[in-house]
Amino acid sequence: MTENEAMQNAIQEAYDGINAGDGGPFGAVVVKDGNIVGRGHNRVIKNQDPTCHGEMEAIRDACRNLGTFDLSGCEIYTTSEPCPMCLGAILWANINRVYQGCNIQDAEAIGFRDKRFYDHLQGNSSLLTVTELNRTGCKELFNDYKNLEDKKEY
């Protein structure tokens, strides 16, 4: 499968989602060794869940299909530049290559607010207040986990 064919599959995923009334124009596919292993489109409206972005859905699908949380060796093709949440998921999944169609400014131009979140992460706005609370208890939890004999590292 060529890069253009993979991106065309991501675009079709987005159209499928729009036509079903599932959410915005965001579709994605995860590819490994030239084969699509995961598909997803925006299902925020359908599932009433703000985490159901196209990339997140494609990553979840790929993990189910491959039976792993580690998508090393995979690439993701997405119709728009990943938002901070999706970018984080891509990094946590060990996907090391992203092909994107539109950029963050294109998404903003059609009414999506991704740019505000990027501005916040860069310190240019204050959308969120974070407060540390009960660090001692949480450190104890972390130490208990660290000392487990049989655990999986992420």
Side-chain angles (χ1 to χ4, degrees), residues 64-143:
R64 277 191 301 272
N65 291 334
L66 297 175
T68 183
F69 60 85
D70 185 353
L71 298 180
S72 294
C74 292
E75 305 169 332
I76 191 165
Y77 294 77
T78 178
T79 58
S80 187
E81 184 173 350
C83 74
M85 174 185 66
C86 293
L87 184 58
I90 289 165
L91 292 168
W92 279 111
N94 294 315
I95 296 172
N96 64 2
R97 184 163 195 117
V98 176
Y99 293 90
Q100 67 184 44
C102 293
N103 62 38
I104 219 81
Q105 290 79 15
D106 298 325
E108 183 179 38
I110 62 168
F112 289 87
R113 56 190 176 159
D114 301 44
K115 186 171 179 332
R116 284 188 21 212
F117 298 137
Y118 277 106
D119 288 346
H120 174 76
L121 291 173
Q122 294 171 349
N124 298 329
S125 73
S126 57
L127 296 174
L128 180 67
T129 301
V130 177
T131 304
E132 187 176 284
L133 182 66
N134 196 359
R135 183 168 183 251
T136 302
C138 292
K139 289 277 288 184
E140 183 178 327
L141 165 70
F142 277 28
N143 285 331

Side-chain angles (χ1 to χ4, degrees), residues 1 28-40 57-68 70-76 95:
M1 167 173 303
V29 294
V30 176
V31 174
K32 184 170 187 170
D33 300 325
N35 297 304
I36 294 174
V37 296
R39 297 175 172 275
E57 295 290 290
I59 289 168
R60 290 174 181 135
D61 190 45
C63 288
R64 277 191 301 272
N65 291 334
L66 297 175
T68 183
D70 185 353
L71 298 180
S72 294
C74 292
E75 305 169 332
I76 191 165
I95 296 172

Side-chain angles (χ1 to χ4, degrees), residues 2-50:
T2 68
E3 293 170 353
N4 286 327
E5 289 170 332
M7 184 58 81
Q8 193 57 47
N9 274 273
I11 291 169
Q12 187 57 55
E13 274 294 320
Y15 274 117
D16 291 348
I18 292 169
N19 292 334
D22 292 348
F26 306 105
V29 294
V30 176
V31 174
K32 184 170 187 170
D33 300 325
N35 297 304
I36 294 174
V37 296
R39 297 175 172 275
H41 60 261
N42 186 292
R43 289 185 174 92
V44 168
I45 293 170
K46 177 184 180 185
N47 294 347
Q48 295 296 294
D49 181 343

